[in-house]
Amino acid sequence: MGTRSISLDSPDSLYERNLIDDSDKVNRNEERILKLHESNGVVEQTSSPLKREVINRLSYSFSMKSHENDEIDLEGGKLVKDKDKPTRSKGVIRIQNQALFSGIAYCISSCSMILVNKYVLSSYDFNAGISLMLYQNFISVIIVSMLRFLGVISTEPLTWRLIKVWLPVNFIFVGMLITSMFSLKYINVAMVTVLKNVTNVITALGEMYLFQKYHDSRVWAALFLMIISAISGGITDLSFHAVGYAWQILNCFLTASYSLTLRRVMDTAKQVTKSGNLNEFSMVLLNNTLSLPLGLILIFVFNEVDYLSRTPLLRLPTFWLVVTLSGFLGLAISFTSMWFLHQTGATTYSLVGSLNKIPLSVAGILLFHVPTSLQNSASIFFGLLAGVIFARAKMRERS
């Protein structure tokens, strides 16, 4: 649970927008290089006919040889060598489709994280959401620190200058996680998924007023559909809980605020690091480490210490197994999202993130025996469809 995304269409995990933005920058750089080559081609056309003929023959020969055994990855703009293709060895197909594996891993980890949290908070009736968040973040800090110590990953050192810059972001980050826990306890998974679409509307408005980023009519049409589905879903929700809806609305504002604040702070944060960059693992370690002392304070403020001292759940090994699994899943979302985005691209990542909400909602209804009606089911499906339309509109806008 230590990581969340910034992507408008998937506010559950909040770091991938930076990765998507970086991917878009790479694509734009590739386009500039392509245009430069095209301009050079125009210059070559002004050369002598003999020189032009020689260059054309050499270029044709080289391109035929270089692409003879290659396939072109249209989305990534990269060449895929024969060694990257699936190969047959002794009748067994060696599947090397990293994009497929990474996509499955991302979908499983993101869905499992929400379902496990719902199971802990509702099925176990665990009434200490802040403590759950604290334990999950502690697991993330331990794992990332171990991987850094073993040299598997690299992170920026947590200097005092970086901490001071990052503190405002971390306060919102902690509030976002806590309100998400509180809302998930009272609201079913499908409605949480639909209501989270409101975050997209708030973020789009914030982008317009803070960054003068304007969206086209298709994006606003999709956002309007999201609002309608959220309202109709709430009206037809047979398990409506006012407290849960209040926490979820607050979560939408905090999630949007986190996304917008992170964009403002990111450039300053990079300037105070030694390398001049702040990768995903550094953000995971920074956010989760800073959340620990703040989480401890909030545990006393919300008087969860008294509950923890009385609940028999802490004496159940199965309970500890489930909450520990939730901590690993929280970190797995970060790793698998980076892996999937690296193997595919921003377009595929955004669309899969939206489509992934459909099986998540269905699983939430079936696993937790949520009472529903035809009208509520239609509202949920309408909201999920609006999320897909929104993702496609963002793709076209980005392109």
Side-chain angles (χ1 to χ4, degrees), residues 336-353:
T336 56
S337 61
M338 283 190 297
W339 182 26
F340 183 43
L341 185 59
H342 176 71
Q343 294 295 329
T344 56
T347 300
T348 302
Y349 177 85
S350 298
L351 185 58
V352 170

Side-chain angles (χ1 to χ4, degrees), residues 78-314:
K78 297 176 290 187
L79 292 176
V80 181
K81 303 292 184 182
D82 271 342
K83 64 182 181 181
D84 295 329
K85 298 178 186 178
T87 59
R88 288 183 179 269
S89 177
K90 297 180 181 179
V92 179
I93 300 177
R94 296 179 181 177
I95 302 176
Q96 297 179 355
N97 193 336
Q98 296 294 320
L100 177 62
F101 284 157
S102 60
I104 294 174
Y106 167 67
C107 292
I108 292 176
S109 60
S110 59
C111 287
S112 300
M113 179 68 193
I114 297 177
L115 295 175
V116 170
N117 278 342
K118 179 65 176 176
Y119 182 73
V120 172
L121 296 169
S122 297
S123 298
Y124 275 107
D125 196 24
F126 187 63
N127 295 318
I130 301 175
S131 301
L132 179 59
M133 179 271 300
L134 184 66
Y135 182 69
Q136 291 173 345
N137 290 2
F138 177 72
I139 291 176
S140 295
V141 171
I142 296 298
I143 296 175
V144 173
S145 299
M146 288 178 59
L147 293 176
R148 182 183 61 178
F149 177 77
L150 296 173
V152 178
I153 61 174
S154 61
T155 60
E156 290 293 327
L158 303 185
T159 62
W160 179 240
R161 291 180 61 195
L162 179 58
I163 291 174
K164 286 193 298 184
V165 171
W166 202 260
L167 272 178
V169 178
N170 190 255
F171 283 132
I172 303 175
F173 173 78
V174 172
M176 179 186 69
L177 297 188
I178 292 174
T179 53
S180 177
M181 290 286 191
F182 289 167
S183 66
L184 192 60
K185 179 175 177 60
Y186 299 106
I187 309 178
N188 67 75
V189 173
M191 278 309 304
V192 166
T193 304
V194 172
L195 292 173
K196 279 182 177 291
N197 285 335
V198 178
T199 303
N200 301 328
V201 181
I202 302 172
T203 306
L205 292 172
E207 287 178 332
M208 186 171 62
Y209 288 105
L210 296 177
F211 303 105
Q212 285 72 51
K213 180 179 179 180
Y214 297 93
H215 302 284
D216 59 29
S217 57
R218 287 170 297 194
V219 172
W220 286 112
L223 293 173
F224 178 75
L225 293 178
M226 289 179 176
I227 296 175
I228 297 300
S229 66
I231 295 174
S232 61
I235 294 174
T236 58
D237 187 2
L238 298 180
S239 57
F240 179 86
H241 199 291
V243 174
Y245 272 72
W247 281 118
Q248 184 54 54
I249 293 173
L250 180 58
N251 175 259
C252 291
F253 279 96
L254 287 173
T255 304
S257 300
Y258 179 78
S259 174
L260 298 169
T261 305
L262 185 61
R263 194 180 306 183
R264 278 185 172 275
V265 172
M266 185 59 68
D267 291 336
T268 306
K270 290 179 178 180
Q271 293 173 3
V272 299
T273 59
K274 289 186 177 181
S275 65
N277 193 17
L278 195 64
N279 61 25
E280 169 80 4
F281 300 111
S282 297
M283 285 192 288
V284 171
L285 185 61
L286 183 61
N287 256 334
N288 289 289
T289 301
L290 294 180
S291 70
L292 298 182
L294 181 57
L296 284 173
I297 295 173
L298 292 175
I299 285 177
F300 286 95
V301 172
F302 282 81
N303 197 28
E304 288 190 358
V305 176
D306 181 57
Y307 170 79
L308 294 174
S309 64
R310 292 183 292 103
T311 180
L313 291 175
L314 299 185

